[in-house]
Amino acid sequence: MSTTRRGFVKVGAGGLIASILGFDLRPAYAQARTLKIARTTETRSTCPYCSVSCGVIIHTLGDRAKNVTPQVIHVEGDPDHPINRGTLCPKGSSLYHDILNERRLTKPQVRRPGSDHWEDISWDQAIDEIARNIKKTRDATFIEKDTEGRTVNRCEGIAWNGGCTDTNEFNYLVVKTMRGMGVSYLETQARV
Ligand code: SF4
């Protein structure tokens, strides 16, 4: 039997030996994958990395009891998704390691003006400080009339830039809120 290097890498040494001996390991490989996700809960989601917005399926283990935190064990492309049809690029394929990463930030941080380091703050403190800074900036930069005396009611000191995982509903609220404050530098990445 002859084999190419590509075929060797694809099948693996064990598979190659089995193939030489006349065994077909494909059912075993399929069974192994089935076992891996046999008892998982499937959650359909969207890759957060770029505006292609590929669909993914996140497999989690956990019995859905209130005191149990589900454990992500596998992430793969969604074969039913019209954009990617089950495929993922290398970034999307690494999603599992993004979710389960000890360096992942799980709480808000702030770097104060002049400081050289980030400090942890609570969610309440973060929301409070953001609200206070928005009000202060808007009050300081709001323009009621332009240089020709026309009413414009705009705030040029704040800009909003949306993220790629924001849903259309979230972006709708963002636009309503920002327009209500007079923010004109406004961009969303509506796609989900
Ligand atoms: S899988 Fe790749 S191409 Fe698809 S959304 Fe994620 S980063 Fe973009």
Side-chain angles (χ1 to χ4, degrees):
M1 175 190 174
S2 68
T3 187
T4 61
R5 181 178 178 281
R6 186 184 179 85
F8 183 85
V9 171
K10 192 172 173 189
V11 176
L16 182 63
I17 292 167
S19 176
I20 291 169
L21 295 176
F23 299 117
D24 183 0
L25 285 182
R26 279 173 299 185
Y29 286 136
Q31 181 69 9
R33 182 185 175 283
T34 305
L35 285 174
K36 184 179 177 185
I37 59 173
R39 292 177 296 113
T40 60
T41 301
E42 288 186 13
T43 305
R44 290 190 150 70
S45 189
T46 307
C47 173
Y49 290 136
C50 84
S51 55
V52 174
S53 65
C54 297
V56 296
I57 300 176
I58 301 169
H59 295 268
T60 51
L61 270 181
D63 59 5
R64 297 193 171 199
K66 274 195 174 158
N67 56 351
V68 173
T69 304
Q71 175 76 36
V72 175
I73 63 156
H74 183 61
V75 180
E76 63 186 350
D78 183 350
D80 295 326
H81 200 281
I83 289 178
N84 55 316
R85 299 279 188 208
T87 61
L88 291 176
C89 79
K91 274 198 300 182
S93 300
S94 71
L95 260 178
Y96 170 82
H97 302 284
D98 183 46
I99 297 167
L100 296 175
N101 192 320
E102 61 186 22
R103 289 184 296 171
R104 180 176 180 177
L105 295 180
T106 55
K107 51 184 113 172
Q109 293 189 321
V110 64
R111 196 174 77 175
R112 305 286 177 198
S115 172
D116 63 354
H117 66 276
W118 294 84
E119 60 184 88
D120 290 347
I121 57 174
S122 69
W123 285 104
D124 282 347
Q125 191 181 352
I127 292 169
D128 194 52
E129 289 195 20
I130 290 168
R132 205 173 309 123
N133 283 330
I134 286 177
K135 166 127 181 50
K136 185 173 154 197
T137 306
R138 183 174 183 274
D139 288 349
T141 62
F142 192 76
I143 299 170
E144 282 187 38
K145 299 198 182 286
D146 65 11
T147 51
E148 312 220 347
R150 292 173 298 206
T151 301
V152 289
N153 286 337
R154 66 178 177 237
C155 170
E156 296 186 347
I158 297 175
W160 177 277
N161 193 15
C164 62
T165 49
D166 297 343
T167 61
N168 283 341
E169 292 78 11
F170 178 82
N171 285 323
Y172 175 85
L173 292 174
V174 163
V175 171
K176 286 282 180 197
T177 307
M178 291 299 136
R179 293 278 186 239
M181 293 198 303
V183 172
S184 52
Y185 302 132
L186 174 60
E187 181 64 278
T188 67
Q189 197 179 335
R191 62 170 191 140
V192 183

